[in-house]
Amino acid sequence: MEVILVPAFADNYIYVLRDAASGKVGVVDPGDAAPVQAELERRGWTLSHIFLTHHHNDHIGGVAELKARHRATVIGARADAHRIPDLDVALGDGDRTVFGEQTARIIAVPGHTSGHIAFWFEAAETLFSGDTLFSLGCGRLFEGTPAQMWESLQGLRALTDSTRVYCGHEYTQSNGRFALTVDPANPALQQRMEEVAALRERNQPTIPTTIGLERRTNPFLRADDPGVQSAIGLSGAPAVEVFTELRHRKDHFRG
């Protein structure tokens, strides 16, 4: 499955997908129709599927225009059906949806929003995590609790290490600056930040990351790690307590 990054707004990523075997074309979280349409026209593609991780406007703002133009099928969370206009297929945790020769499993990941879902294309080892899991970070808790988000992240952390992670925003460098304050002795994190700095200096994306890399470097996936716990003065504390403190610190971080 081919995945094309389409930048939008200040730091969003929209993803255009193509299943090579069938020629089906999809898009994930089209907050703006214009850059998606431009990419489709450049490649001579017609959109068949629209995948939505959650209801925020920077992820769904272009849906109506793209659906009307291409008659594409809109796929999203059953829990968000009341606030996602134009939804055709409403799915929940554990459901599957077919995209050409690919199949995505729906993973419910509440926390950032109550109805947030992720799409995991298992055979392609590709995850679209929306605003739940970021490279070196996680989403703010607008509607969910720390316990919900920690559980959601544990579910994503359990996917295969080689799974490529495509998230909703280019936040890696700023997330990494925070990560170094709570996990300063992590050599994998230090190396990742050097790579990130080089990429951003060339104005290149830091996405995709992988589950394996995030397991080693993302403090929000490591709330049960003794090193992270020690660094923030919570050695031996329950992981959800550690996660709560990490999220609190990140919400107030200015670096």
Side-chain angles (χ1 to χ4, degrees):
M1 187 170 67
E2 185 176 2
V3 181
I4 299 156
L5 279 68
V6 179
F9 309 122
D11 50 37
N12 280 69
Y13 285 134
I14 300 168
Y15 300 104
V16 173
L17 324 177
R18 184 176 183 272
D19 172 51
S22 66
K24 294 290 186 182
V25 177
V27 65
V28 179
D29 288 352
D32 186 359
V36 176
Q37 185 58 35
E39 188 68 30
L40 295 173
E41 290 178 1
R42 187 173 74 84
R43 295 173 179 270
W45 292 350
T46 298
L47 194 64
S48 58
H49 294 68
I50 299 173
F51 301 98
L52 304 176
T53 64
H54 64 294
H55 75 281
H56 286 162
N57 195 59
D58 63 321
H59 292 254
I60 70 169
V63 170
E65 180 178 338
L66 291 169
K67 178 179 180 177
R69 182 186 290 261
H70 297 274
R71 299 183 180 178
T73 300
V74 180
I75 302 158
R78 184 178 300 116
D80 269 347
H82 62 292
R83 53 187 182 179
I84 298 180
D86 303 300
L87 188 65
D88 296 309
V89 179
L91 301 174
D93 188 56
D95 289 342
R96 297 179 184 272
T97 186
V98 175
F99 171 58
E101 297 299 311
Q102 308 286 335
T103 300
R105 178 162 69 88
I106 306 305
I107 305 174
V109 284
H112 180 66
T113 67
S114 59
H116 203 303
I117 59 174
F119 295 89
W120 183 41
F121 290 85
E122 185 173 1
E125 289 192 301
T126 299
L127 173 73
F128 296 97
S129 60
D131 287 359
T132 296
L133 174 63
F134 293 124
S135 176
L136 300 181
C138 74
R140 286 181 178 268
L141 304 181
F142 289 125
E143 297 176 3
T145 66
Q148 284 179 312
M149 183 62 104
W150 172 237
E151 184 176 356
S152 294
L153 292 175
Q154 285 180 283
L156 298 183
R157 184 178 71 170
L159 300 178
T160 57
D161 277 1
S162 51
T163 294
R164 296 174 298 165
V165 179
Y166 293 91
C167 55
H169 295 267
E170 180 57 71
Y171 288 165
T172 309
Q173 196 161 39
S174 59
N175 284 342
R177 285 194 287 267
F178 169 76
L180 287 170
T181 70
V182 296
D183 197 12
N186 184 340
L189 174 58
Q190 295 165 5
Q191 180 180 346
R192 172 66 167 153
M193 283 302 288
E194 291 176 4
E195 296 167 352
V196 167
L199 288 168
R200 297 311 294 157
E201 190 172 336
R202 300 192 298 270
N203 199 33
Q204 294 182 353
T206 63
I207 307 302
T209 180
T210 66
I211 290 293
L213 182 57
E214 294 306 303
R215 284 171 60 91
R216 297 192 299 275
T217 59
N218 188 331
F220 293 100
L221 296 186
R222 305 178 65 238
D224 50 2
D225 181 270
V228 173
Q229 294 181 347
S230 175
I232 65 172
L234 288 175
S235 292
V240 69
E241 181 181 335
V242 176
F243 175 82
T244 302
E245 176 63 18
L246 290 170
R247 189 60 257 179
H248 175 77
R249 292 191 185 193
K250 180 64 168 65
D251 288 343
H252 296 86
F253 181 68
R254 299 292 181 267

